[in-house]
């Protein structure tokens, strides 16, 4: 499985060198990568359907308990098949949709990285490695959403999505570390065995909040939902891939994966039920007021995600069964509708549903795909959408709590989703064809075959639900910790309350479609509520935070280095002085101090004189020279106390510093008085306070009992374990290797930033500003 996860990354790296060959007719070959992965994961269906769980573990950072552990069960298999199966169709679709685009190879690289990251996320059994892949999905989606980087709207949407999902990533990391601390392991399978201990732990609620934060931001739950409609600025293949079956369902996967570990408690179930209900109804209502096809699909996607969160919150076999089926239902019809919308936009040049009509005459296969997807979205038999709707209703009306209110909310949501599906899948193709669309042509097979395949699968699985019952649905329910042996999927459940609700949904939904037409007037009405929307509120918070940041920056980052140093030193003096006050056990044992020799006294006097000369001289060149004398005096003290390595380091740094100072001085104006008498007195007092504090700190260290255990350990194991004779180097490279790695990473990031600035080519207007 490791190779399967890495294949997407390897293909992206491969495109860096040979990407130019994938910009023409060979572009469709890229689809072979997800196709091969789909076949690979499909080969596990017989084993998984028998209840087997396949696990693989590869050591990564064993000292921290972090490994690349992968688990393939019913839940991860379903998501892996969606990621690779729909990925295959999106890759093929892209070859025609972005044909001739100069950055087509780059687009495929982003898609491949995203696919690999999603596979790593859903297969990870280690929550830390899951977090790594989680962040990779956020980063790769940032590049995909902002692919049209010449558009300000695309760049803004990409940043918004990255900001929201990035916050969720931070929340997931916090939750992962907290769960690791609570359970003593980062492996999810091991956490499952200690569920009772985790639920009864004092930090359980905090851990759940962190997991919810990650899931709600990724899966666009209220009030974090607004990034998803903005992400519709991305090319249609991105919207199809990210927002039907992959990225937005990552949060759903997270909740489902941790339900057996943290679920089945009032905190877990009640929160998910409430947030899911608010999200599904709020977003479904929004679909009534949108005229952009992608906008309609975006809000219907958010609503569908709310339904899934709602079902996970209900818990139990019926709800988990409904969630498993609805994941498949939504992936099939929503991917189809996005692909159909992309075709319309590509061929007709608009997504405005108020202008689109009659395209059936020009694009009959596309109309068939849109019609079948709309039928599945509406839950009309014989589509699998009907089965998913019935199971959702059944889970809702048999749940404990306010049954009537829950039933009303879910039925109203389904009615509005039927309306949205008909608007996106049927309305652009029916009615009289406007004159301006008379020249619209049928796209190539690479564009219309993928939505047809997905739409037909939606009908096929509805007519023959046994195709997915044992192979996909039952294993998912089992992975959620519920017995699935008595589950049987069937299109017909007889005459009952659920059927009545379904008929009401279909009847009212179709009536609403014929009565209410999308219009700019309706869109403007909902626009009047924009000031109180979650997005507007968060934007205002962001604005005031920016104002505060600017004020803070202007006060402390005022361009004077001495003020920066003063602030840092003052803070340290106050903080360390407060800690020492009342806690210091300063006792000087003169018997432990060595005698002061004559040459030590001479060097110390030279050092003190150098300090005073540096402070009081009016010549900058003389001050630099005096600083050099101070540095050399310190080097001699190191030599006196048998530390030649420190002396050589100090000598090298001090010499280089003096040379650089002298070179800089030639570029500076003559000596200027930039501080008055009072400021110099202030700086002198602060310097004495800081120096005295360091002196007290050093004496405090000398007064502490000596413990050579750590030093002895390093000295004993430096050569045995790290094969190095220089203990200091071994500590830096091996024993404290993580610190060194982080420092190297920081330097590398800084170097990339500097390189980017050096390569930056500003327009003349930008230079003027």
């Amino acid at each position: 499985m490791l190779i399967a996860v890495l294949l997407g990354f390897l293909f992206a790296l491969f495109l860096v060198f040979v990407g130019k060959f994938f910009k023409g007719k060979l572009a469709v070959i890229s689809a072979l990568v997800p196709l091969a992965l789909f076949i690979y994961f499909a080969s596990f269906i017989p084993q998984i359907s028998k209840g087997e769980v396949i696990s693989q573990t590869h050591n990564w950072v064993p000292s921290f308990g972090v490994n690349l552990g992968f688990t393939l069960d019913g839940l991860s298999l379903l998501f892996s098949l969606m990621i690779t199966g729909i990925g295959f169709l999106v890759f093929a679709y892209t070859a025609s949709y972005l044909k001739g685009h100069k950055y087509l190879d780059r687009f495929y690289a982003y898609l491949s990285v995203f696919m690999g990251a999603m596979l790593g996320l859903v297969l990870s059994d280690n929550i830390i490695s899951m977090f790594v892949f989680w962040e990779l999905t956020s980063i790769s989606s940032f590049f995909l959403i902002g692919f049209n980087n010449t558009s300000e709207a695309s760049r803004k949407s990409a940043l918004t999505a990255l900001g929201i999902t990035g916050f969720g990533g931070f929340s997931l990391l916090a939750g992962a570390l907290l769960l690791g601390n609570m359970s003593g392991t980062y492996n999810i399978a091991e956490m499952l065995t200690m569920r009772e201990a985790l639920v009864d732990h004092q930090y359980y609620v905090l851990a759940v909040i962190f997991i919810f934060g990650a899931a709600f931001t990724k899966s666009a739950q209220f009030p974090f939902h607004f990034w998803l409609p903005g992400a519709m600025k991305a090319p249609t293949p991105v919207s199809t891939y990210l927002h039907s079956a992959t990225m937005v369902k990552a949060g759903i996967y997270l909740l489902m994966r941790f339900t057996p570990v943290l679920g089945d408690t009032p905190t877990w179930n009640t929160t998910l039920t409430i947030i899911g209900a608010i999200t599904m109804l709020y977003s479904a209502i929004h679909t009534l007021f949108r005229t952009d096809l992608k906008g309609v699909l975006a809000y219907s996607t958010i609503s569908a995600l709310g339904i899934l969160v709602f079902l996970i919150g209900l818990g139990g076999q019926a709800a988990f069964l409904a969630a498993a089926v609805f994941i498949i239902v939504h992936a099939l019809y929503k991917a189809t509708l996005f692909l159909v919308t992309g075709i319309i936009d590509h061929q007709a040049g608009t997504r405005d549903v108020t202008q689109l009509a009659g395209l059936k005459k020009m694009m009959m296969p596309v109309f068939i795909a849109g019609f079948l997807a709309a039928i599945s979205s509406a839950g009309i038999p014989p589509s699998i959408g009907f089965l998913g709707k019935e199971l959702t209703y059944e889970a809702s009306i048999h749940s404990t709590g306010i049954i009537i209110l829950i039933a009303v909310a879910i039925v109203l949501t389904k009615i509005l989703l039927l309306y949205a599906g008909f608007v996106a899948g049927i309305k652009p193709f029916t009615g009289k064809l406007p004159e301006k669309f008379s020249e619209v042509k049928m796209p190539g097979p690479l564009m219309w075959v993928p939505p047809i395949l997905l739409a037909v699968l939606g009908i096929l699985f509805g007519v023959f639900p046994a195709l997915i019952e044992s192979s996909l649905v039952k294993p998912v329910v089992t992975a959620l910790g519920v017995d699935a042996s008595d589950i049987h999927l069937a299109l017909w459940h007889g005459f009952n309350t659920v059927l009545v609700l379904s008929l009401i949904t279909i009847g009212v939904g179709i009536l609403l479609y014929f009565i209410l037409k999308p219009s700019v007037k309706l869109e403007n009405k909902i626009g009047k509520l924009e000031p109180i929307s979650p997005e507007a509120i968060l934007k205002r918070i962001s604005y005031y935070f920016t104002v505060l940041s600017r004020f803070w920056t202007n006060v402390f980052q005022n361009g004077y280095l001495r003020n920066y140093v003063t602030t840092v030193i003052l803070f340290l003096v106050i903080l360390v002085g407060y800690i020492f006050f009342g806690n210091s056990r300063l006792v000087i044992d003169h018997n432990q101090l060595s005698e002061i020799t004559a040459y030590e006294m001479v060097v110390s006097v030279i050092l003190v004189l150098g300090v005073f000369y540096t402070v009081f001289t009016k010549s900058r060149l003389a001050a630099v020279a005096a600083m050099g004398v101070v540095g050399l005096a310190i080097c001699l003290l190191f030599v006196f106390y048998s530390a030649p390595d420190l002396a050589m380091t100090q000598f090298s740094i001090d010499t280089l510093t003096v040379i650089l100072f002298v070179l800089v001085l030639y570029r500076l104006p003559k000596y200027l008085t930039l501080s008055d008498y009072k400021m110099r007195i202030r700086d002198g007092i602060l310097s004495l306070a800081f120096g005295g504090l360091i002196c007290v700190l050093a004496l405090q260290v000398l007064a502490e009992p000596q413990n050579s255990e750590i030093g002895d350990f390093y000295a004993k194991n430096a050569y045995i374990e790290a094969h190095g004779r220089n203990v200091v180097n071994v500590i830096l490279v091996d024993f404290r290797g993580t610190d060194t790695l982080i420092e190297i990473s920081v330097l590398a990031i800084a170097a990339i930033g500097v390189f980017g600035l050096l390569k930056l080519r500003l327009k003349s207007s930008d230079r003027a500003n």
Side-chain angles (χ1 to χ4, degrees), residues 662-704:
V662 172
L663 292 175
V664 171
L665 288 179
Y666 282 109
R667 297 287 183 179
L668 295 178
K670 292 184 178 181
Y671 195 88
L672 300 175
T673 302
L674 298 177
S675 60
D676 56 22
Y677 184 74
K678 294 181 180 179
M679 292 176 63
R680 289 194 289 274
I681 293 178
R682 180 204 65 188
D683 295 342
I685 294 174
L686 185 60
S687 300
L688 289 173
F690 184 69
L693 192 64
I694 296 299
C695 179
V696 172
L697 179 62
L699 294 175
Q700 182 72 36
V701 171
L702 290 175
E704 291 292 326

Side-chain angles (χ1 to χ4, degrees), residues 726-746:
N726 189 312
V727 179
V728 175
N729 289 347
V730 169
I731 292 174
L732 292 175
V733 176
D734 289 278
F735 294 116
R736 299 296 297 274
T738 304
D739 293 345
T740 306
L741 176 63
I742 293 174
E743 292 173 2
I744 294 173
S745 301
V746 171

Side-chain angles (χ1 to χ4, degrees), residues 478-501:
T478 301
L480 294 175
V482 176
D483 180 27
S485 59
D486 60 339
I487 287 178
H488 176 66
L489 297 181
L491 192 64
W492 177 251
H493 291 83
F495 292 98
N496 50 30
T497 305
V498 171
L499 180 62
V500 172
L501 293 178

